[in-house]
Amino acid sequence: MIFLLLGVSFDGTAQKRKMTNPVIAHRGAWKNTKVPQNSIASLQEAIKIGCVGSEFDVRITADGHPVVVHDPVHDGVSIDNSSYAEVAKLKLSNGEPLPTLESYLEAGSGKNSTTLVLEIKVSQLGKERTLLLTRKCVETVKKMKMTKKVDYISFDYDACKLVRQLDRKANVAYLNGDIAPSELKKEGINGIDYHLGVFRKNESWIKEAQDNKMPVNVWTVNKEEDMKWFLGKKFDFITTDEPELLFSLLKAEREK
Ligand code: MG
């Protein structure tokens, strides 16, 4: 019995969601709407068109504040090495300040069906900073009572494992594409989110993940032919800079 209990790993503990579509906007819906990536405006656009998820990137300032930004250096300012006071002066091209994690989550809260897919970025200052960021992210999500609204992804395997330790029910997926789904499952990582080239090379991992009841996500799929291929393979999620195109393909399929 004890063996059985231990053997359960994390099966069934992760959040189950009703999935209305597989469309995840990569850094928000920015490309066709002409708003900056990772801006609150791009999140609002993703919500408006009904994406099942909107992905965004989080880094940590030198004094421990999580902020939403992709690159380690923004307008010549290193996020890792600058205080929040310095980072707060930075603006996006639409005039928004770089969002704090809190302001971003706040913007995504409320009545909408868009999951916030939080990428914990790898710190250039080493593992400890990445893990500190991981703790801050989970802490902030819990404090804002948004655990059911947020999924986590990271290229850092230890960050994924730490999310699992800190929140038994969180959906967490690994990005780096170098570990087989069944291995991840043993560590309690309940989803895979790999580059499209990884799935083309290791097609058997798709079925392996699906057999393990792991949600399967792929990035970053921007071409129509690739979208069709992953739709054909019944991916749970397709992460794209072109959510509008993916929606139009889904619509065309339904009308067939
Ligand atoms: Mg990202």
Side-chain angles (χ1 to χ4, degrees):
M1 188 62 190
I2 288 167
F3 173 77
L4 273 178
L5 285 174
L6 290 173
V8 165
S9 93
F10 294 93
D11 218 315
T13 57
Q15 314 277 354
K16 297 265 190 304
R17 291 216 176 84
K18 200 176 132 213
M19 286 185 285
T20 47
N21 61 69
V23 185
I24 297 193
H26 181 235
R27 309 179 194 166
W30 55 272
K31 196 170 176 182
N32 301 302
T33 56
K34 313 272 186 272
V35 296
Q37 301 178 359
N38 280 315
S39 61
I40 284 176
S42 72
L43 169 61
Q44 287 164 339
E45 295 288 349
I47 292 171
K48 205 198 299 177
I49 59 174
C51 295
V52 79
S54 190
E55 187 262 2
F56 62 105
D57 303 292
V58 184
R59 294 186 174 276
I60 191 162
T61 62
D63 51 351
H65 290 266
V67 290
V68 178
V69 60
H70 181 269
D71 295 339
V73 176
H74 186 94
D75 282 352
V77 174
S78 154
I79 308 299
D80 278 319
N81 294 298
S82 306
S83 68
Y84 175 65
E86 290 166 279
V87 171
K89 291 179 201 154
L90 298 172
K91 294 260 191 290
L92 299 172
S93 61
N94 65 345
E96 272 183 47
L98 242 58
T100 61
L101 175 58
E102 277 195 33
S103 65
Y104 200 89
L105 293 176
E106 178 66 38
S109 66
K111 278 199 176 149
N112 66 68
S113 54
T114 304
T115 292
L116 306 174
V117 183
L118 189 169
E119 181 180 344
I120 299 164
K121 296 304 277 186
V122 177
S123 171
Q124 293 191 315
L125 300 183
K127 183 73 83 180
E128 278 315 304
R129 296 297 293 177
T130 304
L131 296 182
L132 174 66
L133 170 60
T134 306
R135 282 188 210 96
K136 293 268 181 184
C137 288
V138 176
E139 197 177 282
T140 306
V141 169
K142 283 185 175 176
K143 189 180 75 189
M144 295 182 71
K145 302 197 182 340
M146 290 181 70
T147 53
K148 289 187 179 160
K149 184 76 174 163
V150 175
D151 289 355
Y152 299 88
I153 54 174
S154 187
F155 282 95
D156 190 299
Y157 196 28
D158 295 318
C160 291
K161 289 192 273 190
L162 181 57
V163 170
R164 167 60 62 237
Q165 270 177 42
L166 296 170
D167 183 349
R168 266 185 72 241
K169 290 192 176 176
N171 287 320
V172 52
Y174 178 61
L175 291 169
N176 206 35
D178 56 346
I179 304 180
S182 50
E183 288 302 307
L184 293 174
K185 180 91 174 183
K186 282 184 208 155
E187 292 289 344
I189 310 305
N190 67 298
I192 56 169
D193 186 357
Y194 286 170
H195 183 260
L196 60 112
V198 172
F199 290 116
R200 294 282 203 181
K201 251 192 240 156
N202 304 289
E203 250 191 84
S204 66
W205 280 3
I206 302 170
K207 188 170 183 301
E208 185 178 322
Q210 289 167 339
D211 287 348
N212 277 292
K213 296 192 167 48
M214 300 169 82
V216 189
N217 191 348
V218 54
W219 54 273
T220 302
V221 186
N222 293 336
K223 287 193 207 142
E224 188 171 323
E225 61 190 279
D226 291 329
M227 288 176 177
K228 285 180 175 163
W229 195 84
F230 287 102
L231 287 173
K233 297 283 178 194
K234 307 245 176 300
F235 268 59
D236 300 282
F237 306 110
I238 296 174
T239 302
T240 177
D241 294 324
E242 306 275 0
E244 299 87 351
L245 173 61
L246 185 48
F247 273 122
S248 73
L249 294 182
L250 288 163
K251 188 163 175 267
E253 260 192 17
R254 273 199 308 272
E255 285 167 0
K256 253 185 205 167

